[in-house]
Amino acid sequence: MIAAAVLLITNLIVIYLVYVQNKKYSALMKYTEMYVQLIGAIAIRTKATHDQMLEIDRRGSFQIDDEVGVIFNEIKNNVKDLNDFIEKYVNTRAEKEKSKKK
């Protein structure tokens, strides 16, 4: 009888801990999804900005080795890094979800 009571109490504690961890996991997944959407939105805006910069700089005058050229190249490198990150982590996840639906 005592063993059954101890087992019941242990099971109740484990069930409570699983419930608490499940709530934390759900909140974490919600925040993760929000961050993924934020990174995607930033990537789209950054890409649009980069495209506008290239359109303005049709002649390549900004890319000359001066202060403006250095900043231009830094922005271009940052956009490339951000796009690489998006392709590696965000788009890969979306593609995996699409393949699961098929």
Side-chain angles (χ1 to χ4, degrees):
M1 185 70 168
I2 294 175
V6 170
L7 188 59
L8 176 66
I9 291 171
T10 304
N11 282 339
L12 290 175
I13 291 171
V14 168
I15 289 171
Y16 174 74
L17 292 175
V18 168
Y19 171 75
V20 169
Q21 289 300 318
N22 189 32
K23 284 181 67 174
K24 289 180 182 180
Y25 176 77
S26 297
L28 178 66
M29 290 305 295
K30 183 172 83 173
Y31 286 120
T32 302
E33 188 62 34
M34 288 173 29
Y35 286 130
V36 167
Q37 290 174 358
L38 174 67
I39 290 172
I42 290 171
I44 290 169
R45 292 183 70 185
T46 307
K47 178 73 172 133
T49 302
H50 183 256
D51 292 343
Q52 288 176 351
M53 285 174 45
L54 291 178
E55 179 64 30
I56 292 169
D57 189 37
R58 288 182 292 255
R59 295 178 297 166
S61 58
F62 289 141
Q63 294 182 18
I64 299 173
D65 264 345
D66 61 357
E67 291 138 359
V68 175
V70 171
I71 299 299
F72 183 83
N73 286 330
E74 284 297 317
I75 292 172
K76 187 167 49 171
N77 290 337
N78 289 339
V79 169
K80 182 186 175 301
D81 292 343
L82 183 60
N83 284 334
D84 291 345
F85 177 83
I86 294 295
E87 288 176 5
K88 185 174 181 181
Y89 295 106
V90 178
N91 290 343
T92 304
R93 184 173 176 210
E95 290 172 3
K96 286 180 184 177
E97 290 175 1
K98 286 180 185 177
S99 66
K100 286 181 182 178
K101 290 180 182 179
K102 290 182 180 181

